[in-house]
Amino acid sequence: EDQVTQSPEALRLQEGESSSLNCSYTVSGLRGLFWYRQDPGKGPEFLFTLYSAGEEKEKERLKATLTKKESFLHITAPKPEDSATYLCAVPSGGYNKLIFGAGTRLAVHP
Amino acid sequence: GAGVSQSPSNKVTEKGKDVELRCDPISGHTALYWYRQSLGQGLEFLIYFQGNSAPDKSGLPSDRFSAERTGGSVSTLTIQRTQQEDSAVYLCASSSSRRGSWTDTQYFGPGTRLTVL
């Protein structure tokens, strides 16, 4: 059964304190790994798609990387506006329904 | 351009009533998904539509849930005889993917928060 596990569940950082979020996955035939950001009361906002091991993508203070078993979302010198829940997902089945992890709640304090 | 829109943004109903939730996908997107986000459950898949093909209903939790998509665009999710455990945020997503495609991103709407009293 396809599965996604994210850690930690919650992370508190001081502004400027870099860290990484982990997404471990078990899927038969990876067809992409998606990172989303979700703010309270809003729908998930797309961040990145990674397709193959070794691939990296960057956007502002965020960098996503992928191996054959997991993905990392690295946050460099975070700011309070980076506070959100970060969700990881993989497509499953012939119709590409997404299997989501439970998310990591990130709080960045000034 | 316009993103995925959903209405209403909030819905409070009494146990046993029927509710309808609406989703307008991004123009030109052929694939439409419904997900549910509950406290402690995370995001779970409900139903998938691709163009005019028969939908994948494998994620619907009970026969009280149904959905339709008219004209390959707007979709309505209907919950009959609502129960308190149906309280959740219902999210709609659309993509330009066709069956088997692995490259297309799903873009989400803001969701409908359903509260069943």
Side-chain angles (χ1 to χ4, degrees):
Chain A
E1 181 180 342
D2 297 344
Q3 196 167 6
V4 177
T5 304
Q6 291 188 247
S7 62
E9 290 185 11
L11 182 62
R12 178 190 170 110
L13 298 174
Q14 290 298 122
E15 184 172 3
E17 179 187 2
S18 301
S19 189
S20 296
L21 282 54
N22 178 263
C23 170
S24 298
Y25 62 89
T26 303
V27 64
S28 52
L30 183 67
R31 288 173 282 127
L33 185 141
F34 296 85
W35 282 99
Y36 289 86
R37 168 190 171 131
Q38 187 172 28
D39 293 296
K42 296 188 177 182
E45 174 189 349
F46 171 70
L47 292 174
F48 304 108
T49 309
L50 301 167
Y51 294 113
S52 56
E55 187 175 2
E56 298 183 353
K57 288 192 177 175
E58 291 188 59
K59 179 180 179 181
E60 297 182 353
R61 295 175 293 281
L62 300 176
K63 183 170 80 172
T65 62
L66 181 66
T67 73
K68 289 185 178 180
K69 293 184 178 180
E70 58 193 347
S71 177
F72 292 93
L73 185 64
H74 306 278
I75 303 176
T76 303
K79 298 181 177 181
E81 53 262 41
D82 295 322
S83 298
T85 295
Y86 290 85
L87 298 166
C88 167
V90 295
S92 177
Y95 299 110
N96 291 329
K97 66 183 180 187
L98 292 178
I99 306 296
F100 281 87
T104 294
R105 294 189 313 278
L106 174 66
V108 182
H109 297 268
Chain B
V4 177
S5 61
Q6 293 185 246
S7 61
S9 56
N10 281 284
K11 177 71 176 180
V12 179
T13 190
E14 293 180 349
K15 178 182 173 180
K17 300 285 189 183
D18 298 351
V19 295
E20 286 189 352
L21 312 179
R22 177 187 168 105
C23 171
D24 282 89
I26 293 171
S27 177
H29 278 186
T30 56
L32 187 148
Y33 303 79
W34 284 96
Y35 294 85
R36 179 169 71 173
Q37 188 170 32
S38 308
L39 281 175
Q41 295 291 328
L43 267 151
E44 57 176 339
F45 166 79
L46 296 177
I47 188 168
Y48 162 79
F49 294 93
Q50 171 61 52
N52 295 318
S53 302
D56 172 10
K57 304 179 182 180
S58 61
L60 295 179
S62 79
D63 58 8
R64 296 184 296 104
F65 288 72
S66 63
E68 63 178 19
R69 189 178 185 190
T70 54
S73 181
V74 172
S75 177
T76 302
L77 177 68
T78 301
I79 308 173
Q80 295 178 309
R81 305 181 303 281
T82 52
Q83 304 294 312
Q84 288 182 333
E85 60 262 30
D86 299 333
S87 295
V89 176
Y90 290 83
L91 290 158
C92 175
S94 72
S95 79
S96 57
S97 64
R98 299 187 181 275
R99 181 175 179 175
S101 170
W102 60 294
T103 61
D104 296 301
T105 297
Q106 293 179 30
Y107 296 92
F108 284 80
T112 294
R113 180 175 296 278
L114 175 66
T115 303
V116 182
L117 302 176

